[in-house]
Each structure stands twice: as structure tokens, then as C-alpha cells.
Amino acid sequence: MAKPSLLTFFSLLVASTLAADPDMLQDICVADLNSAVKVNGFACKPAAEVTEADFFFQGLAKPGATNTTMGSLVTAANVEKIPGLNTLGVSMSRVDYAPGGLNPPHTHPRATEIVFVLDGTLDVGFITTANKLITKTITKGDVFVFPRGLVHFQKNNGDVPAAALAAFNSQFPGTQSIAATLFAATQPVPDIVLSKAFQIGTRDVKKIKSRLAPKK
Ligand code: GLV
Ligand code: MN
């Protein structure tokens, strides 16, 4: 058999580094969320303790309360809620939007997202690393994709509530909400960094920080 070329080796390497969550090595590895053992993901709980409850979740059945600052609520169905997802490389969320509600610009460092509109109409978009906005108005029954790591948002510009289901190719996609990440981090990003980055005065930086500070 011919030896694999250097090119084949590097293509395989690139393919594996571009994959989402690592592949599983056993049928199931239900997360022991309380284990002190730190691994990439969660340690498996003993097989004898696994039940159907580890693979079941009803938290997406009903609309989430959208009386939030942004007028939207994301309800996650990830490994923290469904321990049986550990090592399986998938998860979901439900997003509910009040009329005018916004799921503000955010990224998922570990997953591509695909959304299905359950109800209403959404203006959605993501921005590529070339700073190109890819945007569309999507409505009940439509599907849209947000590639892994890219900043994206959804806005309900309708005058009725909207809802969407999202699926991810990670058990735990992670979310960085851009405004909160920069202006509400603990500990705070220095005012001077934000002032220079956004080309605004530190007074405006402080104003944004105080508005985005977590509610006590
Ligand atoms: C929507 O963008 C979500 O992350 O649930
Ligand atoms: Mn998202």
C-alpha cells in the first residue's frame, strides 16, 4: 500500500482540528456534574446509576419569560441540563422573543448553530471575519445557519411574539455576548481599552458599563 503523503497527513490533521466536539469512545458517558475530576467535558457517572432521566428534558416545552432587558430569553438544553449529552457532541436551545425583542450579538466558540423558526418572524444575521453581514428575514418553518465562532443575532421586528429552536454541534457550545463580554466582565476591562477600541470617551464607557452591569 502506498505510504500516505505529507499532504494527506496535513489534510487529516486539518479535518480533525476543524471538527467540533471530540468523537465518543463508548456508547454513553452520562456526565457526573458533581465530580471533582476535571476532564475535557465531564467524567462519566457509574453505569449502574444511569437512568432515562439522564436523557430527558422538558424545559423547552413552554415559552420562556421574555420580560428581560433585551426582550428575549434563551433556554439551553445542553449537557448541564441533560447529562446524557456528555461526549455526544450535540445540544439545543429555545429562544423566545417579545415583540421588538433582540437576542443580542454573540458567538459560540465551540459550535455551529442551526435555527428553526417555531413562530413569528425574525431578522437574523451573522458577520464573517471579512466583516460582511449575511442577513435575512426568516419566518415560521424557516431554517438559518450561524457558522461556528461568528458573531450573530436575531431580532423580532414583528408586533407578535416569536420563538425559535436552535441546534448545536457541541454538547456545550458556550456563549459570549459581545456587549456583556466587553462591558460587564468581572473583573472589568479597563476603560481606556474600551475607550480607544470604540473611539469614545471614558465617560461613555462608564455609562455603557453601568447600563450593562448585572442586575443585583
Ligand atoms: C441563538 O442564537 C442561540 O444561541 O440560542
Ligand atoms: Mn446563537
Side-chain angles (χ1 to χ4, degrees), residues 175-194:
T175 299
Q176 273 197 309
S177 206
I178 306 304
T181 295
L182 289 172
F183 290 90
T186 53
Q187 57 190 51
V189 178
D191 290 357
I192 188 67
V193 170
L194 298 170

Side-chain angles (χ1 to χ4, degrees), residues 74 93 95 103 106 108 113 115 146 152 154 166 168:
V74 177
S93 69
V95 194
N103 185 12
H106 64 278
H108 305 291
E113 171 177 348
V115 291
F146 304 107
H152 60 279
Q154 302 102 30
F168 303 90

Side-chain angles (χ1 to χ4, degrees), residues 182-183 189-212:
L182 289 172
F183 290 90
V189 178
D191 290 357
I192 188 67
V193 170
L194 298 170
S195 162
K196 200 158 175 63
F198 286 86
Q199 295 290 288
I200 55 175
T202 49
R203 193 185 302 186
D204 289 329
V205 170
K206 287 186 199 309
K207 195 195 276 180
I208 300 172
K209 278 187 172 174
S210 73
R211 294 205 175 147
L212 292 181

Side-chain angles (χ1 to χ4, degrees), residues 116-121 138-142:
F116 173 80
V117 183
L118 292 172
D119 260 318
T121 299
I138 58 174
T139 193
K140 184 171 175 158
D142 289 348

